[in-house]
Amino acid sequence: MLTGTAPGLAGNAHLADRLTELRRLRRPVVRDFTGRVRDLVVLASSSRSGSSMLAEMLRRTPALLHLRAEFNPYLRLAGLVPPASGTGSDQLDAAHLAALPPARRRVFDEELSLDVGRPDPTVSPEQFLLDAAWRFTIQWPTLEIDLADWLDTARRVLAELRSQPDFDPARLSHAARFHARLHAALAVRGVPVRTGYYDMPPHLAGPPWRQDVRGAPGELLVEEPPFVLTVGWRYATAHDLATRPLVIKTPSNAYRLGFLRALFPNARMRVLHLTRNPAGSINGLYDGWLYHGFHAHRMDRPLNITGYGRDRPEDRWWWKFDLPQGWQDYTRAPLPDVCALQWRSCHRAILDDAAALRLPYLRVRFEDLVRTPQSRAGVLTRITDWLGVPMDGPLRAIAADGLRDPVVATAPPQPGRWRRRAELVRAAIGGPERRLAEELGYDDDESWI
């Protein structure tokens, strides 16, 4: 039977030493971090349904706290992904947290206290560089490079950029400039970093040879590509945790609502359920499986999913996106059927577990975030009213203008893009998908965008 067999982190002494050193230098600012969170909002969705876009919009208001990116790296550092988790899927519950040894449980308090916060262009250059060093370490966990040498190189790059009057490290486009120049400087020193694995515009990523990628960045992954960029970021204080909702966004958290409630034991937990019609989501997942990123689980032998890995045979060693229960029955299925499994499994888990756990719940639609500025403003107003935070100036601006740069996009956003392969997508939408789509309010496929 096919199983996930990504090499364990426990045997990587270089990674463990680097993370220990970075924790010492960065100094976690809040003790008992997870116990101090008072308001937890899980932005739950299936993959390729716009959760990264919505999270980026919500990051514009200082009334909310966020992770910089996904939650999955912390689970990997704590040994809570297959096969180590023992679930055979992304499913986790409170019992998995209770069974963790104290040292692995501390990963969440120590590392999350240096991640949760909000964008801030005024952070010190040294904090920015240490944050970038941590992110680089989990993106390239097997790359052995002296931390002091890495920081010296990064300081020179940042000093050059900071001499330019318009540089703002909290803006993604400016963060992309920093990373592109840093990777170029590292390349001169023989450090083999491919900028093509990062979520940045190609025109900023450097020459074609640095963008040319094949397969996953390595056999051991902590963060899944496309890799995020480090931006200027203010860590949350104990006061922040007591007064601001924390928004956590990772699609595979659809299978972990019980685990998250146990991880943040003193928090009121709410579910913000973002939906998208099955055709748009399945098409987005299909694109993602064929893209040079989204590697999530390394298998013990190549997958035989029909239509997967033709252009990049190395990818066939990897299951992409979330790993639902029952995935073993799809290792030889057509790729659209795998995508349909992922769409329906995520939403079914969200609906069932939110009800079973009696969690406060709000459902919003991806389509309304992209249809018009007015519909986008309506969604953001509903969310802020539900969360009890103001619809402030930054949110009004993002409602009017949308995001300047797409976030984790495999192709330029375009309504109804799934219709280019309509026959392929429709064939994957069977009875279970149709019934779930109707339950979610998508009963007329002619209106799907």
Side-chain angles (χ1 to χ4, degrees), residues 121-345:
T122 68
V123 297
S124 71
E126 194 63 17
Q127 179 189 314
F128 177 83
L129 290 171
L130 289 171
D131 290 347
W134 183 89
R135 183 65 58 181
F136 186 90
T137 296
I138 67 164
Q139 290 167 345
W140 304 97
T142 61
L143 188 62
E144 297 193 15
I145 178 173
D146 183 77
L147 178 59
D149 288 346
W150 189 97
L151 287 169
D152 285 344
T153 303
R155 284 191 188 100
R156 289 195 294 272
V157 171
L158 183 60
E160 179 184 344
L161 288 171
R162 283 173 57 84
S163 68
Q164 302 172 7
D166 68 331
F167 182 68
D168 177 357
R171 287 178 56 183
L172 284 173
S173 59
H174 290 202
R177 287 160 52 189
F178 166 77
H179 287 78
R181 294 194 186 188
L182 172 62
H183 297 165
L186 291 172
V188 170
R189 304 188 60 181
V191 180
V193 176
R194 293 282 180 174
T195 306
Y197 283 114
Y198 284 76
D199 185 29
M200 69 166 67
H203 72 277
L204 292 175
W209 67 266
R210 282 216 308 272
Q211 300 180 45
D212 185 29
V213 296
R214 293 288 185 271
E219 289 192 2
L220 173 63
L221 293 185
V222 181
E223 180 178 306
E224 300 165 18
F227 293 150
V228 300
L229 306 173
T230 298
V231 300
W233 196 258
R234 179 178 297 278
Y235 304 152
T237 65
H239 178 72
D240 291 331
L241 299 179
T243 58
R244 289 179 167 87
L246 166 60
V247 180
I248 290 183
K249 186 280 304 179
T250 292
S252 51
N253 281 342
Y255 310 107
R256 305 173 184 140
L257 296 184
F259 175 87
L260 291 171
R261 189 166 73 167
L263 181 62
F264 299 95
N266 300 316
R268 172 179 60 163
M269 180 170 162
R270 293 178 278 180
V271 174
L272 176 57
H273 186 184
L274 176 65
T275 66
R276 186 181 186 183
N277 72 79
S281 294
I282 291 169
N283 186 66
L285 282 160
Y286 189 94
D287 283 341
W289 276 83
L290 302 182
Y291 189 69
H292 59 268
F294 307 109
H295 306 84
H297 299 277
R298 194 177 194 279
M299 301 288 107
D300 60 356
R301 59 182 181 271
L303 296 160
N304 287 306
I305 294 172
T306 305
Y308 176 48
R310 288 175 297 199
D311 296 331
R312 277 183 290 273
E314 304 93 333
D315 277 0
R316 293 176 58 236
W317 285 92
W318 291 87
W319 182 277
K320 296 194 176 185
F321 302 107
D322 57 284
L323 193 68
Q325 291 181 329
W327 64 269
Q328 296 90 342
D329 296 332
Y330 287 78
T331 59
R332 295 178 178 271
L335 181 54
D337 290 356
V338 176
C339 300
L341 167 74
Q342 292 177 310
W343 179 83
R344 72 172 182 269
S345 297

Side-chain angles (χ1 to χ4, degrees), residues 286-417:
Y286 189 94
D287 283 341
W289 276 83
L290 302 182
Y291 189 69
H292 59 268
F294 307 109
H295 306 84
H297 299 277
R298 194 177 194 279
M299 301 288 107
D300 60 356
R301 59 182 181 271
L303 296 160
N304 287 306
I305 294 172
T306 305
Y308 176 48
R310 288 175 297 199
D311 296 331
R312 277 183 290 273
E314 304 93 333
D315 277 0
R316 293 176 58 236
W317 285 92
W318 291 87
W319 182 277
K320 296 194 176 185
F321 302 107
D322 57 284
L323 193 68
Q325 291 181 329
W327 64 269
Q328 296 90 342
D329 296 332
Y330 287 78
T331 59
R332 295 178 178 271
L335 181 54
D337 290 356
V338 176
C339 300
L341 167 74
Q342 292 177 310
W343 179 83
R344 72 172 182 269
S345 297
C346 269
H347 289 296
R348 187 76 268 157
I350 294 165
L351 292 170
D352 291 349
D353 289 353
L357 296 170
R358 299 182 180 180
L359 299 174
Y361 172 94
L362 176 69
R363 185 187 303 166
V364 297
R365 294 162 59 110
F366 164 84
E367 291 81 1
D368 294 330
L369 286 171
V370 299
R371 199 183 307 276
T372 65
Q374 292 76 23
S375 65
R376 184 163 51 246
V379 172
L380 294 175
T381 299
R382 285 183 64 207
I383 292 172
T384 53
D385 286 348
W386 182 66
L387 294 178
V389 300
M391 180 70 175
D392 55 18
L395 285 178
R396 293 185 187 280
I398 203 68
D401 301 332
L403 292 176
R404 182 181 306 178
D405 300 310
V407 181
V408 198
T410 59
Q414 184 178 354
R417 186 160 52 91

Side-chain angles (χ1 to χ4, degrees), residues 83-127:
S85 65
T87 67
S89 71
D90 281 332
Q91 188 80 33
L92 290 174
D93 58 27
H96 293 97
L97 183 67
L100 272 186
R104 287 162 58 190
R105 172 64 178 81
R106 284 197 300 272
V107 166
F108 295 103
D109 281 314
E110 294 177 353
E111 297 293 359
L112 287 175
S113 73
L114 292 164
D115 191 358
V116 171
R118 58 189 187 274
D120 185 353
T122 68
V123 297
S124 71
E126 194 63 17
Q127 179 189 314

